[in-house]
Amino acid sequence: MALLTAAPALAQAGSEDARLRAKLDAMFESLVDDSPGRATGLGLDVGKRAALKSRLDDNSAAAKARRLERARQWAKDLGAIDRAKLSPASKVDLDVVLYQQTQAVTNGDKWKFGDVGGNFRPYVISQQSGAYQEIPDFLDSQHKVATIEDAEAYLARLHDFVRAMDEDLGRQKADAAMGAIPASFICDLSIGQMKALRDQPAAATILVTSLVRKAKAANLAGDWEGRATRIVSGEIFPALDRQIAAMQAIRAQSRPDVGAWSLPDGEAYYADAVKASTTTDYTPQQVHQLGLDQVAEISGRIDAILRARGLSQGSVGARLMALNTQPDQVFSANDEGRARMLALLNTHIAEVYKLLPKAFRTLPKASVEVRRVPVFIQDGAANGYYNSAALDGSRPAAFYINLKETADWPRYNLWTLAHHETVPGHHLQIALAQESTQIPILRRTFGGFSAFSEGWALYAEQLAQELGANDADPLGEVGYLQSLLFRAARLVTDTGIHAKRWTREQATTYMVETIGNTRTRAQREVERYFAGPGQANSYKVGHTVWAKVRADAKAKLGPKFDLRAYHDAVLLSGSMPLTVLERHVAEWVATQV
């Protein structure tokens, strides 16, 4: 467990650095004890925390209130630290964690519906949130079964799944009474996913088959299938029925295409959501204009490349759409085509690893692989997402790609997708932070910042292009630029929905016409924005800041600028708000002059 406990040599006992580190370590212990799911994800549900493996997180209204008061006390404690007496690294630690706790208190006091963490989520239950869709995936992908005790703990979690769903339902009803009612299609998508789990034999659900498969692989004797099936049919299915009925009742109160503007004090809510997701003071209108400007600039770059290839007719979006359907870009819409896509992605990642030493001194030890988003959640899931490795090395990191429609992923798009989600993107950034012995364990494992991580992942796409990772595909640069265009269009679309009252159809059409995605892919993205106001803005705002801080550092240092040293400076300090990143890079530059 050296990875968890190792820490830099602190100043003498009683120093302000030591005082801060002790506080941050105590916060980490408290957060792990409070989150059985996170304990399992980190591989810490063992030893004194073995009991956590039989439980799921408490996300009730009472637990939410307790966590708010805990954040209030932590903010007070951290505010008592004398920043002037801290080392440079500890100043970053304090700035980051105090920012988190202060934001938690400010937003938690102001907004009583949904969740207001790093990204706002106005609905406890949606097509992208809620225990009903999170827990089956969690149990399948993260709960290890190597012993009889592990299998019994899995069954205990199946029992606890009922409590988790009922707690969600209680909060959803209370929030709806306050006026936080999702758009009709969010209700429909949520109900559809619940029914996808409910309307099958209990023994055929992932909840049962996952345990059976794992127990068989571990050679564990016992009636795991029968016991799990009885819990699913006798307890979980009735809980799903309660959720379906309640969501149908909420749907009866819903309107078709309402965004954050329809929430209680919705204009202020969305403005706060934008600030929370971007960790800046940008207003919705500033984000909207930034998006319009960048869409125009990136579209011009793509237009020049396409014209040079003889593709000059129609809008940029129309020409990209035509590329998507060319035979050499399409994968067959069956499991063979999906397997081919996964194999290409994993092979490409291995090739990119060979380029990384040109830009990085430090590389992660944890491996990463590409997997398919589980079929049972693919209708409402994002187009892709990353899960970090277990801290103890027992589980590799994984990038999950949504392969419901293979047409959503033309071949020339795949390379930049891999760069974003794996290396030099999310995996490199997150794994380096997790493996660090300098960053406090609290910051390595809790509370990242979407604008930092998603901004880095877009910057990583840019870096991969600079390193030549796209050169093997004649259309590789187009795929890279289309990815940037996609994120710029998100700025326009998210603000359009929530600040300018765009409909789902209006937003989807804008995405299709601007970036050339299929309508199904664009609509799935738009539906995600409706369910999570503000988060989509974090990507391109983050990239804009990342590109600016590197450009500023290069301009100030001139020939003294070392890209590999720069990457160590920004990555080995962990995730942070963009305002802290700008200050941190400026201070690093001052040490290099």
Side-chain angles (χ1 to χ4, degrees):
M1 302 295 282
L3 180 65
L4 301 181
T5 58
L10 296 171
Q12 61 186 8
S15 70
E16 209 68 358
D17 274 20
R19 182 182 172 202
L20 174 63
R21 177 56 67 93
K23 180 61 187 176
L24 298 185
D25 287 348
M27 289 170 64
F28 168 77
E29 297 294 331
S30 177
L31 286 166
V32 174
D33 288 340
D34 189 44
S35 177
R38 185 60 65 93
T40 292
L42 295 173
L44 299 179
D45 55 356
V46 295
K48 67 177 184 178
R49 291 194 173 101
L52 294 181
K53 194 162 191 173
S54 298
R55 292 157 38 200
L56 298 170
D57 287 19
D58 180 354
N59 289 317
S60 63
K64 179 182 175 184
R66 286 196 305 272
R67 289 172 188 140
L68 176 59
E69 294 312 306
R70 181 180 64 187
R72 197 184 312 280
Q73 183 60 52
W74 283 349
K76 180 180 178 181
D77 295 344
L78 292 168
I81 299 288
D82 189 343
R83 189 179 186 277
K85 295 180 180 178
L86 295 174
S87 65
S90 290
K91 285 178 180 177
V92 172
D93 294 335
L94 176 64
D95 291 348
V96 171
V97 182
L98 183 55
Y99 176 96
Q100 289 174 311
Q101 302 310 313
T102 302
Q103 289 296 108
V105 172
T106 299
N107 292 322
D109 282 342
K110 190 173 183 180
W111 306 110
K112 295 303 181 183
F113 54 87
D115 293 294
V116 287
N119 295 305
F120 281 24
R121 191 174 67 181
Y123 316 117
V124 178
I125 300 172
S126 73
Q127 80 274 23
Q128 289 200 305
S129 60
Y132 85 93
Q133 59 98 30
E134 294 165 359
I135 299 305
D137 186 27
F138 164 75
L139 289 175
D140 181 51
S141 63
Q142 298 195 43
H143 186 110
K144 293 185 296 183
V145 176
T147 66
I148 293 291
E149 290 75 19
D150 292 341
E152 292 290 350
Y154 186 106
L155 292 175
R157 277 180 158 164
L158 288 184
H159 287 295
D160 208 25
F161 185 21
V162 175
R163 172 197 56 79
M165 283 194 287
D166 285 343
E167 286 174 352
D168 280 358
L169 188 53
R171 286 180 58 199
Q172 185 90 333
K173 288 179 177 178
D175 290 355
M178 287 185 228
I181 299 175
S184 302
F185 69 82
I186 292 179
C187 297
D188 291 339
L189 288 168
S190 304
I191 292 167
Q193 289 193 162
M194 292 172 193
K195 287 185 174 180
L197 180 59
R198 175 65 177 86
D199 294 345
Q200 58 181 309
T205 64
I206 189 71
L207 296 164
V208 176
T209 59
S210 179
L211 175 59
V212 171
R213 183 185 72 251
K214 293 173 182 178
K216 182 178 180 181
N219 294 314
L220 303 181
D223 184 19
W224 307 113
E225 180 176 15
R227 294 173 66 189
T229 299
R230 287 189 288 274
I231 296 171
V232 172
S233 61
E235 300 176 37
I236 293 173
F237 278 178
L240 278 168
D241 290 338
R242 291 191 290 274
Q243 286 212 344
I244 291 168
M247 287 300 291
Q248 287 171 334
I250 290 173
R251 194 211 184 282
Q253 307 172 54
S254 68
R255 289 179 284 169
D257 289 331
V258 292
W261 55 265
S262 71
L263 297 166
D265 200 7
E267 184 176 336
Y269 177 91
Y270 183 60
D272 283 352
V274 169
K275 290 180 180 179
S277 289
T278 64
T279 61
T280 68
D281 288 326
Y282 282 32
T283 66
Q285 182 55 42
Q286 287 173 321
V287 172
H288 192 76
Q289 189 59 51
L290 178 66
L292 290 172
D293 293 344
Q294 293 197 0
V295 163
E297 188 269 333
I298 298 165
S299 294
R301 294 169 66 186
I302 295 174
D303 177 58
I305 296 173
L306 294 179
R307 285 181 181 277
R309 293 181 60 83
L311 298 171
S312 59
Q313 299 301 309
S315 68
V316 167
R319 281 176 277 165
L320 289 172
M321 183 69 78
L323 275 184
N324 295 347
T325 59
Q326 289 185 355
D328 63 340
Q329 298 300 320
V330 177
F331 293 87
S332 57
N334 52 34
D335 285 344
E336 181 180 354
R338 295 182 177 96
R340 173 66 176 154
M341 197 181 302
L342 293 175
L344 283 172
L345 281 165
N346 282 305
T347 298
H348 181 72
I349 291 165
E351 291 302 310
V352 175
Y353 262 102
K354 299 175 183 177
L355 300 174
L356 296 182
K358 296 180 181 180
F360 298 94
R361 288 177 177 170
T362 311
L363 296 176
K365 298 180 181 66
S367 62
V368 62
E369 57 191 50
V370 185
R371 301 174 185 169
R372 182 182 179 182
V373 167
V375 174
F376 67 91
I377 64 169
Q378 67 183 8
D379 287 353
N383 285 320
Y385 55 88
Y386 170 84
N387 279 349
S388 57
L391 284 181
D392 63 1
S394 61
R395 187 190 68 255
F399 160 48
Y400 287 87
I401 179 173
N402 195 326
L403 297 182
K404 179 182 180 182
E405 302 287 349
T406 57
D408 289 347
W409 303 109
R411 185 187 181 98
Y412 73 95
N413 277 174
L414 293 183
W415 323 128
T416 291
L417 174 71
H419 307 153
H420 181 102
E421 298 289 350
T422 62
V423 291
H426 284 318
H427 176 63
L428 187 144
Q429 179 252 313
I430 293 171
L432 281 180
Q434 280 195 342
E435 294 169 7
S436 170
T437 58
Q438 303 301 307
I439 305 169
I441 184 67
L442 173 70
R443 290 190 53 222
R444 283 185 267 150
T445 54
F446 283 92
F449 298 91
S450 181
F452 181 97
S453 59
E454 297 298 352
W456 168 266
L458 282 185
Y459 166 75
E461 295 178 16
Q462 173 187 327
L463 183 64
Q465 174 68 22
E466 294 168 352
L467 291 174
N470 294 318
D471 290 355
D473 189 327
L475 292 172
E477 185 177 3
V478 174
Y480 155 64
L481 289 173
Q482 187 186 32
S483 175
L484 291 187
L485 180 62
F486 171 39
R487 273 43 180 250
R490 275 179 165 176
L491 300 181
V492 180
T493 306
D494 194 83
T495 52
I497 291 166
H498 299 294
K500 299 180 180 298
R501 305 195 178 195
W502 286 13
T503 64
R504 177 174 56 161
E505 177 61 26
Q506 185 179 357
T508 300
T509 297
Y510 174 80
M511 294 288 279
V512 170
E513 292 179 350
T514 301
I515 61 180
N517 279 162
T518 63
R519 181 161 288 272
T520 55
R521 180 180 175 187
Q523 182 166 303
R524 188 160 59 242
E525 282 289 327
V526 165
E527 290 166 348
R528 167 187 170 188
Y529 309 157
F530 271 91
Q535 193 271 342
N537 300 318
S538 63
Y539 296 72
K540 201 63 180 68
V541 170
H543 175 245
T544 300
V545 173
W546 271 108
K548 180 180 182 298
V549 294
R550 190 184 82 169
D552 288 349
K554 289 182 70 174
K556 290 175 181 176
L557 293 176
K560 290 185 178 180
F561 180 79
D562 182 331
L563 183 61
R564 301 195 331 147
Y566 169 77
H567 285 151
D568 267 2
V570 295
L571 288 182
L572 301 184
S573 295
S575 181
M576 60 188 75
L578 296 181
T579 51
V580 178
L581 174 67
E582 290 174 314
R583 181 166 64 247
H584 176 56
V585 172
E587 292 172 351
W588 174 78
V589 167
T591 68
Q592 306 300 303
V593 175

